[in-house]
Amino acid sequence: MESATPVIVAIDGPSGTGKSSTSKAVAAQLGLSYLDTGAQYRAITWWMVNNGIDIDDPASIAAAAGKPEIVSGTNPGGPTITVDGVDVAGPIRTQEVTSKVSAVSAVPEVRARITELQRSIAASATQGIVVEGRDIGTTVLPDADLKIFLTASAEARAARRSGELKGADVHSTREALIKRDAADSSRKASPLAKADDAVEVDTTALTLAQVIECVVTLVEEKRAGK
């Protein structure tokens, strides 16, 4: 039965391209699990901030990387994330965490810890999974069945992101996105990059529904050809 074929889908791309909304919807529509890897990096960043770790000191971050217990729920209809048993779905989205997540994510020990966690979650998803992030197709799951790289113009991404962050200034949001892209693309450990065998989807002129439809079609084609 085609619909029962497990498939691992990696969706990468910078902030504001529609990764999360697309990934969740595709997973729900196709009966797959869903993993937001960015939430895991936000979760470990939140823990670092809450425990007084100096975010400007990579050695301190590295020393603490193995301490927090991060658990990710993979139901696309209501993905959960806890740190040491505490629900952090809300707290990890604050501006404070957002402004520090790139620095924490750049520390190799943090990436090694979270990457191992992501691989174990993907391996245990018997019905298949959609994993979204920045280095899934290149580093975390290089053997994924399907790799998709979402892009969009900085202007479109800023408009979407400032719409999510109610009342945010589009210009300052755009500057922040560009700054974060630069940090994520230039870090030594698992930088944001498009895998050679990824399908690029430019979402600038597409509605969310069109992006979801496009990705669902790509997944179904991959399933049918397996």
Side-chain angles (χ1 to χ4, degrees):
M1 189 171 71
E2 183 196 310
S3 62
T5 307
V7 62
I8 293 180
V9 183
I11 299 185
D12 291 306
S15 301
T17 51
K19 279 199 313 290
S20 293
S21 302
T22 300
S23 300
K24 274 188 276 199
V26 168
Q29 204 168 313
L30 297 175
L32 304 172
S33 293
Y34 160 75
L35 179 62
D36 174 1
T37 65
Q40 295 176 313
Y41 284 106
R42 285 174 172 274
I44 200 165
T45 301
W46 174 87
W47 185 91
M48 298 276 176
V49 170
N50 265 30
N51 285 273
I53 307 298
D54 183 357
I55 301 300
D56 296 320
D57 179 18
S60 296
I61 294 173
K67 293 181 179 177
E69 184 192 7
I70 299 167
V71 177
S72 298
T74 57
N75 176 358
T80 56
I81 186 154
T82 62
V83 179
D84 296 335
V86 178
D87 178 1
V88 295
I92 63 171
R93 302 294 169 183
T94 61
Q95 187 53 46
E96 182 180 28
V97 170
T98 299
S99 66
K100 294 179 168 133
V101 68
S102 285
V104 174
S105 301
V107 176
E109 288 81 358
V110 169
R111 299 208 75 80
R113 162 90 201 283
I114 301 295
T115 296
E116 184 183 5
L117 182 60
Q118 291 161 0
R119 285 176 177 158
S120 68
I121 291 170
S124 63
T126 52
Q127 76 275 45
I129 191 168
V130 177
V131 184
E132 59 131 320
R134 284 169 165 68
D135 65 339
I136 311 307
T138 52
T139 302
V140 180
L141 300 169
D143 296 326
D145 299 303
L146 176 64
K147 301 173 188 177
I148 294 169
F149 194 84
L150 297 185
T151 63
S153 70
E155 288 71 23
R157 290 161 49 212
R160 289 172 191 163
R161 188 46 59 93
S162 57
E164 291 167 14
L165 309 166
K166 302 289 183 274
D169 173 53
V170 175
H171 178 72
S172 60
T173 301
R174 179 177 178 273
E175 294 304 309
L177 284 175
I178 291 172
K179 186 177 174 186
R180 182 158 178 210
D181 288 348
D184 290 347
S185 300
S186 61
R187 65 170 178 245
K188 289 186 174 65
S190 307
L192 162 66
K194 179 189 164 198
D196 292 338
D197 54 348
V199 178
E200 186 167 323
V201 178
D202 188 332
T203 70
T204 304
L206 302 178
T207 64
L208 177 59
Q210 288 171 325
V211 178
I212 293 166
E213 184 183 359
C214 172
V215 175
V216 164
T217 300
L218 288 169
V219 177
E220 287 180 331
E221 285 173 354
K222 177 57 71 172
R223 268 182 168 173
K226 280 187 75 172

